[in-house]
Amino acid sequence: MAQPGEFASTVKQQADIVRIVGEYVKLRKSGAQNWSGLCPFHQEKTASFSVNAVHQFFHCFGCNAGGDVFTFVQKIENITFPEAVRMVAEKLGIPMPKVTYSSPEEARQAKRRGSLLDIHERACVFFQEQLKRPEAAHAREYLNTRGLNAATIAEFRIGYAPESGFLLRDALRGQFDEDTMRESGLFSWKDKDQSPVTSSQLPEGSEAASTLTTANRQLTTLYSKFRNRVMFPIATEQGKVIAFTGRTLATEEKSGPKYLNSPETPIYSKSRVLFNVDKAKEAIRKLDYSILVEGQMDCITVYSAGLRNVIASSGTAFTDAQAKLLGRFSKKIVVNFDPDTAGAAAAERSLALLVSEDFEIKVLTLEAGFDPDLYIRRKGVNAYTDALGNSQKYFDYLIERARTLHPVRTPEGKVRALNYLLPHIQRVPSRIVRDELANEISHRLGIESKVLRQELRHAATARSSARVTTPAKLHLTDAERVLIRALASRELAHSPLTSREGHDPDFEPARQAHYFLTQERLHEGTGAHALFDALLTAHEQILDPMALPLDENDRRLVASALMEDREELTPELLENAIRSLRKRAILRQLDELQHQLKEAEQRQDSATSARLLQERVKLRRAMAGAGESAATYL
Ligand SMILES: [Zn+2]
């Protein structure tokens, strides 16, 4: 059997990190082998997140997140290493060997999640089939009145949960064990109806005990939670069904809530999922904005009208996890729900969170009484697109709202309006933006008082500082950076990227850099000494530099050097770098010699002084010739 690490490295060799990261982050080409984009792991406005195609790693110079394709997938999907390997393998269509987990517990959990995904997939197919049956005529009629055609119904995998609570159970019981069925959130059961005899009252391990326990927990007690409902599957970002929303078709009150959602399960957490993100993510990335609506039906209507970048929050307030998920595709959003009606508090909280996550928000307010679904059905998609185009910047919208709620004719009204706005402004992460907003608001509310203006600016800007700290200064010279690139260039020699015409086939930058550094120890005594030693060892062992166990700062230095590929690595560039290192080494020796010379003179040790003076002449000569001699080696 193959070692787990072996399989992972096979997958890694075939994976293109640029393509895989590109599924999550909008990347732009920033060099021959480098790509950059906004970091998905911290908030930022300028791209400090880079991906290197040759060495197959990513690094963020803002938050120092970095690693290979698996680290990336692990971090962004919040999954274990084996799951990340599996996921990347799946993307590449590489068949999996038996998965190995680092602990039995981990294996158990992964298996459990797998079964829960399977049961949801089966249930989804079951509901879809049920929708086609004669008994589901009223469900089809309902969907029809909501303007959904067959194609949309199929695309969203909308189904029908029959009136009988036992059909789903009977359809699944042969394929899944009872624990999985109970854990899936698809079923209810009545524990109270069980016989009072429990296993604890019987001798442990006795035949009777196990038979009775099983009998007590018979499957007949399980029945479907969703009955006589139109079923909307909720999927992960990858399109795997993990939960459902069931819209009731019954008219009487006792049939439960209008919308019933799956409970939280090991695979479903309401706060981490965005409805339709699986279908919308590509369009969001491409169009660089998303449309957020409240209900799933709104979302489906808007999507099927051709606006593919739409997602729904399903009536609850946006969470941090959802904002992060969405922010990976675009940080621009048009929020289309009516903050004045039901769900106002949720909408307000969602907007507040999006502000603090640094989203660029616009608000689309439709005429009173219209939700997106109704609006499109009555007025058509063009009218809706126009309305989208006219959506208002969030702070303009807020200022208008403040003026409506607190008429600013009097000084008291102005203060009230200000106090309404202040908490909103304080959520903005950027101090500069907050300051600008404070000015804008003073102007728009007609605040003349200098004191009040100052107070506003102070309140707006005196907020805990932004979370991201500016990257630390890098401490490598240009020459050292060139040498790091050279040392790491092993694969470059075989890369089609470099087999361009006019390329010197004898130029082996890694071998040459290694030769000079080991021969002359040019890196000795510098800050990068240890780092270069590690890189030299990596070269000898044919390891990728990014695979070295470097500390955070060193990793950052190497990453930054490797990301710099605007200047082609040529023999001249390497030669100049070595020359420069050599000069620097001589300078260091001269410095040291000067020091010793001074000491010798103080001791009046003329013999040593004479020897040192002679050495100094040699060094100065070497200094002058440093340039030329390098050329003869290369
Ligand atoms: Zn980052």
Side-chain angles (χ1 to χ4, degrees):
M1 197 186 87
Q3 293 295 305
E6 262 174 53
F7 181 70
S9 73
T10 310
V11 173
K12 191 172 162 177
Q13 272 165 25
Q14 293 181 42
D16 174 6
I17 192 168
V18 176
R19 197 180 67 81
I20 286 170
V21 172
E23 289 179 21
Y24 301 89
V25 180
K26 212 164 113 179
L27 291 174
R28 282 198 184 85
K29 209 160 193 314
S30 58
Q33 299 121 11
N34 287 324
W35 300 74
S36 68
L38 293 177
C39 179
F41 305 118
H42 85 274
Q43 289 179 35
E44 62 175 5
K45 281 196 169 148
T46 49
S48 46
F49 178 86
S50 304
V51 183
N52 182 285
V54 176
H55 299 283
Q56 292 284 304
F57 72 93
F58 73 97
H59 190 90
C60 172
F61 295 95
C63 68
N64 270 323
D68 63 8
V69 66
F70 300 131
T71 320
F72 180 83
V73 171
Q74 252 182 287
K75 210 167 150 68
I76 203 146
E77 294 285 350
N78 194 22
I79 51 178
T80 61
F81 177 75
E83 285 172 316
V85 174
R86 173 195 288 263
M87 192 163 188
V88 175
E90 263 173 23
K91 283 178 198 284
L92 300 173
I94 303 172
M96 284 294 296
K98 269 194 111 46
V99 194
T100 40
Y101 292 96
S102 57
S103 71
E105 175 57 20
E106 195 178 276
R108 203 183 62 79
Q109 279 184 10
K111 187 164 177 262
R112 198 167 68 146
R113 279 199 293 272
S115 309
L116 289 173
L117 286 174
D118 288 346
I119 200 169
H120 275 84
E121 176 56 32
R122 300 309 278 263
C124 188
V125 170
F126 170 84
F127 293 139
Q128 284 181 286
E129 280 163 359
Q130 291 294 314
L131 184 64
K132 295 181 183 126
R133 297 180 63 85
E135 304 89 273
H138 64 308
R140 293 193 298 271
E141 176 58 27
Y142 166 78
L143 291 169
N144 196 25
T145 59
R146 300 303 303 258
L148 301 193
N149 60 26
T152 305
I153 291 169
E155 185 163 17
F156 282 87
R157 304 189 68 188
I158 298 168
Y160 171 64
E163 184 76 63
S164 160
F166 303 119
L167 289 176
L168 177 65
R169 180 200 66 197
D170 294 342
L172 299 176
R173 72 194 307 175
Q175 304 157 48
F176 299 95
D177 60 34
E178 193 184 330
D179 283 344
T180 305
M181 288 172 77
R182 281 175 188 258
E183 219 174 5
S184 69
L186 296 168
F187 296 96
S188 300
W189 58 90
K190 290 192 176 87
D191 275 330
K192 282 172 196 136
D193 289 352
Q194 284 182 3
S195 134
V197 183
T198 62
S199 56
S200 62
Q201 288 164 283
L202 291 156
E204 214 173 305
S206 74
E207 280 278 312
S210 57
T211 333
L212 261 172
T213 329
T214 317
N216 284 348
R217 298 183 63 200
Q218 275 215 344
L219 281 174
T220 44
T221 59
L222 287 186
Y223 57 95
S224 179
K225 206 169 250 168
F226 300 95
R227 296 181 307 281
N228 193 23
R229 285 176 185 270
V230 170
M231 300 297 285
F232 300 96
I234 297 168
T236 62
E237 193 194 327
Q238 285 78 40
K240 289 194 172 129
V241 180
I242 49 172
F244 293 94
T245 296
R247 201 303 189 169
T248 188
L249 292 168
T251 42
E252 67 270 28
E253 287 283 307
K254 67 174 175 59
S255 55
K258 192 169 164 191
Y259 289 97
L260 181 66
N261 289 307
S262 290
E264 303 261 316
T265 66
I267 56 167
Y268 173 56
S269 163
K270 198 169 70 184
S271 65
R272 305 188 74 90
V273 171
L274 278 176
F275 182 73
N276 202 41
V277 74
D278 54 321
K279 293 188 200 61
K281 61 182 181 184
E282 277 317 311
I284 294 173
R285 195 178 283 137
K286 232 177 260 166
L287 301 168
D288 196 16
Y289 81 98
S290 57
I291 306 167
L292 176 67
V293 296
E294 205 167 351
Q296 292 167 346
M297 199 45 99
D298 289 328
C299 185
I300 294 170
T301 313
V302 172
Y303 183 90
S304 56
L307 298 155
R308 300 274 142 132
N309 51 332
V310 62
I311 44 151
S313 62
S314 309
T316 52
F318 233 67
T319 63
D320 205 42
Q322 288 169 323
K324 288 234 157 57
L325 169 64
L326 186 58
R328 292 200 331 246
F329 309 114
S330 172
K331 284 248 171 169
K332 291 183 192 148
I333 187 167
V334 179
V335 177
N336 180 195
F337 37 64
D338 192 347
D340 281 331
T341 56
E348 193 97 333
R349 280 208 303 280
S350 297
L351 287 164
L353 185 90
L354 290 168
V355 169
S356 61
E357 291 286 327
D358 219 5
F359 273 74
E360 207 178 304
I361 309 161
K362 284 185 166 184
V363 176
L364 168 57
T365 325
L366 299 171
E367 293 156 54
F370 279 99
D371 58 22
D373 177 34
L374 192 65
Y375 196 91
I376 288 177
R377 282 191 290 139
R378 291 272 172 82
K379 306 197 172 201
V381 66
N382 289 338
Y384 185 74
T385 313
D386 287 346
L388 266 180
N390 292 323
S391 51
Q392 219 176 355
K393 278 187 184 156
Y394 181 48
F395 275 93
D396 289 343
Y397 160 87
L398 277 178
I399 294 168
E400 219 163 81
R401 221 168 125 76
R403 290 170 61 116
T404 316
L405 292 170
H406 310 284
V408 293
R409 284 180 302 268
T410 60
E412 294 75 31
K414 286 178 186 178
V415 171
R416 275 198 297 272
L418 271 186
N419 283 329
Y420 166 84
L421 289 170
L422 209 47
H424 296 285
I425 305 165
Q426 284 171 328
R427 282 189 200 105
V428 175
S430 158
R431 190 179 193 278
I432 298 163
V433 175
R434 289 197 304 276
D435 198 39
E436 279 167 8
L437 280 169
N439 275 335
E440 169 91 18
I441 286 164
S442 298
H443 181 70
R444 298 267 299 271
L445 296 185
I447 293 165
E448 313 287 351
S449 152
K450 235 186 187 153
V451 179
L452 202 53
R453 271 175 184 250
Q454 244 163 18
E455 214 164 293
L456 168 66
R457 285 189 60 180
H458 178 73
T461 53
R463 165 195 184 270
S464 61
S465 60
R467 264 167 279 177
V468 181
T469 51
T470 45
K473 283 263 179 299
L474 300 179
H475 301 292
L476 281 178
T477 63
D478 287 347
E480 285 169 334
R481 296 161 90 87
V482 168
L483 277 157
I484 290 177
R485 281 175 59 195
L487 278 174
S489 65
R490 178 172 35 83
E491 285 133 305
L492 273 170
H494 314 287
S495 159
L497 285 167
T498 50
S499 51
R500 280 170 293 205
E501 270 187 61
H503 224 269
D504 179 358
D506 294 330
F507 178 47
E508 290 175 65
R511 199 184 55 74
Q512 288 164 1
H514 181 266
Y515 175 80
F516 283 108
L517 287 172
T518 46
Q519 286 299 303
E520 303 181 27
R521 306 296 298 167
L522 292 173
H523 55 297
E524 225 148 65
T526 72
H529 184 171
L531 176 59
F532 270 101
D533 273 347
L535 289 168
L536 289 171
T537 313
H539 171 81
E540 285 150 20
Q541 297 175 353
I542 323 178
L543 275 173
D544 194 274
M546 290 310 283
L548 286 169
L550 301 172
D551 71 24
E552 199 176 81
N553 192 49
D554 283 353
R555 174 169 299 275
R556 182 194 182 86
L557 291 173
V558 175
S560 80
L562 297 183
M563 292 297 181
E564 249 166 41
D565 61 0
R566 267 161 299 237
E567 197 176 4
E568 200 193 335
L569 190 62
T570 57
E572 294 71 35
L573 194 65
L574 180 57
E575 184 185 318
N576 285 334
I578 289 168
R579 206 179 285 169
S580 147
L581 283 192
R582 199 176 268 151
K583 279 182 183 166
R584 202 184 51 180
I586 297 172
L587 276 175
R588 256 198 327 274
Q589 283 172 309
L590 275 171
D591 236 30
E592 174 61 19
L593 199 125
Q594 202 64 36
H595 191 70
Q596 290 174 9
L597 197 58
K598 213 171 161 187
E599 281 181 348
E601 279 167 359
Q602 270 167 7
R603 287 197 311 270
Q604 301 189 325
D605 178 351
S606 50
T608 310
S609 290
R611 183 177 55 80
L612 289 171
L613 280 167
Q614 253 183 351
E615 263 182 57
R616 191 168 74 176
V617 172
K618 264 194 238 162
L619 277 174
R620 283 188 171 154
R621 231 179 252 149
M623 184 75 185
E628 293 73 42
S629 59
T632 58
Y633 281 101
L634 281 165

